[in-house]
Amino acid sequence: MSEHRIAMVGTPCEIMAASKLQHYTDSPIDVKLGLFCMENFSYKYFVTLLKEYDLKMDDIEKFQIAKGFVFLLLKTKETVKIPLSVAQRIIRKNCNICVELTSETSDISIGSIGSEDGWSTLIIRTQKGEEIVNGAIEQKFIEAKDFNESQFNLLNKIAESKISKNLETIERREFLARPVLYQRDKSDDSILKDIFESNFMDLKSNVIDVGACVLCGACEYACPYDLIKIDDTKPIMRSECHEDCHTCFTVCPRTFIPEDLRNDNSKPIGDYIKVLSVKSLKHTQGQDGSIVTTLIDYLLNNDIVTEALIVDKEDHLAWKPYAKLTNAIDEVVKSGGTKYSVCPVFKPLKDIKEEVD
């Protein structure tokens, strides 16, 4: 067993992959900090879109999505607004079948929807998450206040909107004979039966080839034979799949979801213990009031976790995201902010896996 205890930050699909890794494997992920997410963009197509505005990624200091626009704060201190109706064409296809806004299988979910400026919305989902939040409040890492009814109604409304819209997309896809496996209502016994009959070729035909892959890298990380590689756009198999191996299909967040992890679409924000508005008392740099950075600081400071799995941006390639493991809070602070593109978030865990093996 690994001695690593990792706090992971991720979007709903990445958190679902982490939850499946915990469910089916011996995972080093111990704490899941989930982000609110409507959709993500293709880095390649984002670069192309910016050309229409005579901009490059290097020109941008900060991204933000709000009130129907992508706001680009430039290094010149100017702000450029791109309507979301225009940006729709660079959204990754897999986002259109996601029915989660608030990372429902995380320990703690964090976002900005519902809270006033300078505050973040925080959803406590597990006992572990509650202990972390209470500890962070007691040690004055964060300040918290109750989420009021109007704030809750707004959060629910936006979550319901995403579910409704994307369930329609799922229905259209399935009308074209493209099954969306992760939304299937199946018993755990039935799921296990299908898993033992599936391998990478089934993952390829049911997820990758139909534009449902979230590029999280769970398949690459979990493959016991190191046969899967993530290129810039999708997972590829470097050799023939072992006949008795089903791991990649098992851990993918877009294949069948076990019963205790499955989304209940009648609950817009999923199951939870408590919803709060919170403000950081330690950090100011980052997305959503720096709450993610502050919680990681608390976790590392108290030796609750040994490292954090975060997404930073490349120094030599502006805003290109990449995943990294760190126990240095200054690196966590540096990584704060939004990239609005995906990357294989589990890739850094491969070194830990090899160390244990």
Side-chain angles (χ1 to χ4, degrees), residues 34-176:
L35 305 174
F36 293 8
C37 181
M38 286 296 289
E39 64 264 319
N40 242 312
F41 300 128
S42 158
Y43 181 85
K44 176 182 175 182
Y45 293 141
F46 211 148
V47 170
T48 302
L49 177 63
L50 288 178
K51 289 179 182 177
E52 298 177 20
Y53 292 80
D54 294 321
L55 292 172
K56 303 186 297 293
M57 284 287 193
D58 279 315
D59 299 327
I60 298 167
E61 185 72 37
K62 185 178 179 182
F63 290 93
Q64 185 176 2
I65 292 181
K67 300 176 181 177
F69 289 91
V70 180
F71 290 90
L72 310 177
L73 177 62
L74 307 185
K75 292 176 180 176
T76 61
K77 304 307 177 186
E78 298 173 271
T79 298
V80 174
K81 295 195 305 184
I82 300 177
L84 271 178
S85 57
V86 173
Q88 290 288 322
R89 69 176 188 260
I90 65 169
I91 292 173
R92 290 178 55 83
K93 288 181 182 179
N94 70 81
C95 295
N96 295 324
I97 58 168
C98 175
V99 294
E100 272 191 81
L101 175 72
T102 60
S103 296
E104 296 171 25
T105 62
S106 59
D107 295 294
I108 302 167
S109 302
I110 304 107
S112 60
I113 298 170
S115 287
E116 60 196 85
D117 289 347
W119 294 74
S120 298
T121 301
L122 183 149
I123 305 174
I124 300 171
R125 300 195 182 276
T126 64
Q127 183 179 345
K128 181 185 294 182
E130 188 171 32
E131 290 170 358
I132 291 166
V133 172
N134 288 342
I137 293 170
E138 288 169 12
Q139 294 186 24
K140 300 192 183 306
F141 278 78
I142 62 174
E143 177 183 352
K145 60 185 181 181
D146 289 337
F147 209 57
N148 65 43
E149 186 178 355
S150 64
Q151 291 173 315
F152 190 83
N153 289 341
L154 176 61
L155 178 58
N156 257 312
K157 180 180 177 181
I158 293 175
E160 283 177 341
S161 174
K162 177 174 180 176
I163 291 170
S164 175
K165 183 180 78 170
N166 289 354
L167 281 176
E168 289 179 8
T169 303
I170 288 172
E171 188 175 344
R172 287 197 299 273
R173 282 201 183 198
E174 296 204 322
F175 180 76
L176 297 171

Side-chain angles (χ1 to χ4, degrees), residues 186-202:
K186 293 168 68 73
S187 70
D188 284 350
D189 287 343
S190 177
I191 288 172
L192 284 174
K193 180 177 182 296
D194 281 334
I195 282 173
F196 287 127
E197 295 173 355
S198 303
N199 59 19
F200 182 82
M201 295 312 296
D202 298 285

Side-chain angles (χ1 to χ4, degrees), residues 131-303:
E131 290 170 358
I132 291 166
V133 172
N134 288 342
I137 293 170
E138 288 169 12
Q139 294 186 24
K140 300 192 183 306
F141 278 78
I142 62 174
E143 177 183 352
K145 60 185 181 181
D146 289 337
F147 209 57
N148 65 43
E149 186 178 355
S150 64
Q151 291 173 315
F152 190 83
N153 289 341
L154 176 61
L155 178 58
N156 257 312
K157 180 180 177 181
I158 293 175
E160 283 177 341
S161 174
K162 177 174 180 176
I163 291 170
S164 175
K165 183 180 78 170
N166 289 354
L167 281 176
E168 289 179 8
T169 303
I170 288 172
E171 188 175 344
R172 287 197 299 273
R173 282 201 183 198
E174 296 204 322
F175 180 76
L176 297 171
R178 294 182 175 182
V180 179
L181 301 189
Y182 93 104
Q183 278 295 292
R184 294 297 171 93
D185 185 9
K186 293 168 68 73
S187 70
D188 284 350
D189 287 343
S190 177
I191 288 172
L192 284 174
K193 180 177 182 296
D194 281 334
I195 282 173
F196 287 127
E197 295 173 355
S198 303
N199 59 19
F200 182 82
M201 295 312 296
D202 298 285
L203 185 69
K204 184 175 184 298
S205 60
N206 285 288
V207 176
I208 301 167
D209 289 349
V210 297
C213 174
V214 304
L215 208 69
C216 66
C219 57
E220 179 186 43
Y221 160 67
C223 177
Y225 303 104
D226 199 26
L227 299 180
I228 299 173
K229 176 178 173 56
I230 303 282
D231 66 11
D232 279 342
T233 58
K234 60 184 178 181
I236 57 174
M237 177 63 74
R238 295 189 285 193
S239 181
E240 276 195 37
C241 201
H242 285 233
E243 191 173 327
D244 61 345
C245 183
H246 325 282
T247 310
C248 61
F249 188 89
T250 303
V251 301
C252 174
R254 289 294 180 255
T255 60
F256 305 116
I257 306 295
E259 291 174 280
D260 66 339
L261 299 178
R262 193 173 303 151
N263 304 115
D264 179 349
N265 294 327
S266 69
K267 300 177 180 178
I269 64 170
D271 292 319
Y272 61 91
I273 295 172
K274 196 169 187 180
V275 184
L276 299 168
S277 270
V278 295
K279 182 166 70 171
S280 174
L281 300 176
K282 293 279 188 177
H283 301 281
T284 58
Q285 178 182 334
Q287 176 82 351
D288 295 328
S290 301
I291 293 300
V292 172
T293 299
T294 304
L295 288 176
I296 292 174
D297 191 358
Y298 167 78
L299 290 167
L300 290 171
N301 204 278
N302 287 272
D303 197 32

